[in-house]
Amino acid sequence: YDSPRPHPRIVILYGVVTTDPNSFGLVIEFCVCGDLRNNVLDAKDMQLSIEHMLQILMDIAQVT
């Protein structure tokens, strides 16, 4: 990937695998903290404060 990162909080998508007509796979950059699905499943019972939720939303919306 030769272009600069579009945003520090966006994972780079390198490609899509479509060998099975009933599913597909994404080829993305390595994420040190694991994948989003497992992080969400691990945290499903976690209660976040309003401040933490707002910080997450601000991080998502941050423009560099």
Side-chain angles (χ1 to χ4, degrees):
Y1 190 77
D2 296 331
S3 298
R5 294 191 63 79
H7 191 281
R9 300 191 196 312
I10 296 177
V11 176
I12 296 171
L13 173 68
Y14 293 112
V16 179
V17 179
T18 59
T19 54
D20 180 348
N22 297 316
S23 66
F24 65 93
L26 300 177
V27 182
I28 61 172
E29 71 177 298
F30 176 75
C31 298
V32 176
C33 295
D35 63 71
L36 178 61
R37 180 179 182 273
N38 285 335
N39 279 299
V40 169
L41 291 175
D42 290 344
K44 69 179 179 180
D45 295 326
M46 183 187 335
Q47 297 295 318
L48 299 176
S49 67
I50 294 294
E51 292 80 13
H52 193 174
M53 287 188 263
L54 288 173
Q55 185 60 55
I56 291 170
L57 291 172
M58 290 175 60
D59 288 346
I60 292 169
Q62 179 184 8
V63 177
T64 60

